[in-house]
Amino acid sequence: MTSKKNIFKFVVFTLLLCVSNSFSQSNKQKELEERRQELRQEIQKINQLQQENKSKQKSQLSLIENYNYKISVLNNLISVTNQQANLITREINSNQKKITKLREDLTILKEDYAAMIVKSYKNKNQQSRIMFLLSSNDFKQAYKRLQYMKQYSDHQREQGQEIKAKSEELQKINANLLKQKAEKQKLVAENREVQKTLEKERKEHEILMASIKKNINIYSAQISKKQQEANRIDREIERIIREAIAKSNKKAGNSKSSSNFALTPAEEKLASNFISNKGKLPWPVEKGYVTVRYGTQPSPIDRSLTIKSNGVRIATEKNAKVRAVFNGEVSKIIVIKNSNPMVMIKHGNYITVYKNLSKVYVKEGDMVSTKQDIGEVFTNPSNGDTILNFIIYKNVDPQNPAEWIYKM
């Protein structure tokens, strides 16, 4: 009895495991397809923005950044598509095993069913059945024989239904198998095209890098100068934030020096709402892609040089509107020598900074709402670059925008 229970438990566990694996594979396939579509849209966005600025003579630095980003997206797309194709291959193999097992089961079922039909045909004579019952030694045996005849008939009917069900299941799996094979062929074909595009981008990247290396010292000097300028602006922003912190602490009657904002109950609530939207904040521009990410990273031109980015650089379209990523108060419109205007918005003890604007629509003290236009991104007239620099601070500490902005 215990042995039968253990066998039953094992069968149930195996079935549950199969169902769980099936759901897991289905969810994984769905996630991969969503990611693949996102990457394809990203490439379309890059192509569209590059096409709009095609007439402009891009700087070598901008071109390298664009190539690097596009190549990384193409690599990601190929990787995700390969994962999808591999998952479909596993599903195809699993379905082929199921088909083999079902065919074996059907062969046995049909043989048993055929034997039953033959036996039923031989015993279908009503007189034979009556004689079978009347030849019983007693009533108890006659009753058992009657039950046997009923069970045999029921089993025959169930056998027929099982054959029908397994045949339908086999047809369904076969149809699904054909669909999966078609999906895999489509993915493989698309991947070949993406790989061709990737090779083309890589060759152009290599040609450009070869021309840059001839004058690497000039470009290295340009990179160092740009980094120095970025550091100067970042120091000024930090100084302004520290002044705002000191002001808030003084207002709250906190005489001790602090690197954190003293918040009112309303500001605490705003900061809490800002935190609860981490990973869900909208992009500061409607269209765009990140060309330089947050953190310290090697220069794409001279790997011996490092670039420190307190935020992200977003390439966007000409005359692009800049949007507040969350409700808040415009705490400062920053204008620094040799730099385009910046807008600083306070969200409790969090601050978002929008750099390199050509127009500013708001003024200090304005309350803004999520996705409200606050200005326009500056477009460099010499090369057509329209770049927004976007930073998030918690008090004076810069944060990684990719962790806050939706799908960045």
Side-chain angles (χ1 to χ4, degrees):
M1 189 71 178
T2 306
S3 178
K4 285 183 179 179
K5 281 183 179 178
N6 289 337
I7 291 168
F8 175 74
K9 286 178 181 177
F10 174 75
V11 170
V12 170
F13 174 75
T14 305
L15 287 170
L16 288 172
L17 189 64
C18 289
V19 170
S20 174
N21 285 341
S22 176
F23 275 120
S24 177
Q25 284 190 349
S26 177
N27 288 335
K28 182 64 176 174
Q29 189 67 270
K30 187 179 177 183
E31 287 173 13
L32 287 170
E33 179 58 22
E34 285 176 358
R35 181 63 183 140
R36 190 172 73 90
Q37 293 303 330
E38 285 170 12
L39 289 166
R40 289 183 68 190
Q41 288 170 10
E42 190 78 359
I43 290 167
Q44 287 175 359
K45 191 161 57 178
I46 296 167
N47 289 337
Q48 182 185 349
L49 290 173
Q50 286 179 347
Q51 188 65 32
E52 287 173 3
N53 295 327
K54 197 174 181 180
S55 60
K56 297 292 183 180
Q57 185 62 41
K58 292 276 185 182
S59 69
Q60 306 290 65
L61 294 176
S62 295
L63 285 170
I64 286 295
E65 285 175 358
N66 289 341
Y67 277 125
N68 283 347
Y69 182 72
K70 193 171 181 181
I71 286 169
S72 73
V73 175
L74 288 166
N75 275 322
N76 285 337
L77 179 58
I78 288 168
S79 174
V80 168
T81 308
N82 282 336
Q83 287 179 60
Q84 275 189 283
N86 291 337
L87 189 59
I88 290 174
T89 300
R90 288 197 292 273
E91 289 173 355
I92 288 170
N93 292 338
S94 175
N95 279 336
Q96 284 173 335
K97 286 178 183 177
K98 285 180 187 176
I99 287 169
T100 302
K101 182 69 171 62
L102 276 171
R103 282 176 178 160
E104 288 171 356
D105 291 348
L106 274 171
T107 301
I108 295 167
L109 281 170
K110 285 176 180 178
E111 286 173 357
D112 290 347
Y113 189 70
M116 278 195 295
I117 294 297
V118 171
K119 192 173 181 180
S120 296
Y121 180 77
K122 288 178 180 177
N123 298 324
K124 73 176 180 178
N125 190 302
Q126 190 68 21
Q127 190 175 357
S128 298
R129 293 186 180 189
I130 293 168
M131 288 303 296
F132 179 63
L133 290 171
L134 291 175
S135 64
S136 304
N137 293 327
D138 51 35
F139 178 78
K140 187 177 180 180
Q141 189 182 52
Y143 178 74
K144 284 185 176 179
R145 287 185 176 185
L146 185 65
Q147 288 295 105
Y148 167 75
M149 287 165 63
K150 184 178 182 301
Q151 287 173 2
Y152 190 82
S153 177
D154 289 345
H155 178 64
Q156 184 178 322
R157 186 172 61 254
E158 286 170 5
Q159 199 85 336
Q161 287 172 348
E162 192 175 352
I163 288 171
K164 183 183 176 184
K166 283 191 179 289
S167 297
E168 287 174 353
E169 187 182 354
L170 183 61
Q171 289 173 358
K172 187 178 176 181
I173 292 173
N174 265 322
N176 194 34
L177 189 64
L178 291 171
K179 184 182 174 185
Q180 286 171 335
K181 285 180 177 178
E183 283 176 2
K184 184 182 175 182
Q185 286 173 353
K186 184 182 175 184
L187 286 172
V188 170
E190 284 184 9
N191 232 15
R192 285 199 193 102
E193 292 304 312
V194 175
Q195 283 169 339
K196 286 179 186 175
T197 305
L198 178 61
E199 287 306 310
K200 178 176 173 289
E201 295 290 332
R202 277 180 174 160
K203 283 178 183 175
E204 290 177 1
H205 178 270
E206 286 169 6
I207 292 167
L208 183 59
M209 282 301 295
S211 67
I212 286 171
K213 283 178 180 177
K214 293 175 182 177
N215 300 294
I216 191 66
N217 291 336
I218 295 172
Y219 290 109
S220 296
Q222 288 178 5
I223 293 164
S224 297
K225 187 178 178 182
K226 282 181 74 173
Q227 184 63 57
Q228 287 170 10
E229 184 64 14
N231 292 342
R232 181 180 73 86
I233 293 169
D234 288 341
R235 283 195 300 269
E236 182 62 17
I237 292 170
E238 186 180 327
R239 185 190 67 76
I240 291 167
I241 293 174
R242 288 191 182 279
E243 277 185 0
I245 288 172
K247 188 177 177 182
S248 76
N249 278 281
K250 186 178 179 182
K251 189 176 179 182
N254 186 356
S255 58
K256 292 181 180 179
S257 62
S258 172
S259 57
N260 298 332
F261 281 99
L263 302 178
T264 64
E267 288 172 331
E268 282 182 4
K269 185 179 178 181
L270 181 60
S272 177
N273 289 338
F274 188 83
I275 293 167
S276 67
N277 280 276
K278 188 173 184 177
K280 297 181 284 186
L281 297 175
W283 281 61
V285 286
E286 195 171 347
K287 293 179 184 178
Y289 60 92
V290 176
T291 58
V292 176
R293 293 198 169 272
Y294 170 85
T296 302
Q297 53 215 282
S299 163
I301 287 179
D302 186 347
R303 307 294 287 185
S304 66
L305 297 175
T306 56
I307 297 170
K308 185 189 174 189
S309 175
N310 278 352
V312 291
R313 290 181 62 192
I314 303 171
T316 185
E317 61 190 343
K318 189 177 180 182
N319 301 322
K321 299 286 191 294
V322 183
R323 314 182 299 182
V325 298
F326 200 70
N327 303 335
E329 179 186 357
V330 178
S331 60
K332 192 80 174 174
I333 308 297
I334 306 171
V335 180
I336 301 174
K337 188 180 178 182
N338 299 325
S339 177
N340 290 314
M342 294 168 259
V343 173
M344 185 184 289
I345 299 176
K346 189 170 177 284
H347 318 273
N349 60 333
Y350 286 87
I351 287 174
T352 51
V353 180
Y354 310 78
K355 297 164 63 178
N356 196 38
L357 308 187
S358 60
K359 294 179 183 177
V360 176
Y361 300 158
V362 290
K363 61 183 184 300
E364 290 178 20
D366 282 356
M367 301 303 295
V368 295
S369 56
T370 305
K371 289 189 178 181
Q372 179 180 328
D373 291 341
I374 59 170
E376 287 181 23
V377 187
F378 173 77
T379 298
N380 189 321
S382 63
N383 58 27
D385 281 345
T386 307
I387 303 289
L388 174 72
N389 291 275
F390 175 71
I391 312 175
I392 299 176
Y393 288 93
K394 180 182 180 182
N395 298 305
V396 291
D397 300 319
Q399 308 287 299
N400 185 356
E403 294 175 1
W404 292 83
I405 304 298
Y406 181 66
K407 291 186 177 179
M408 183 179 277

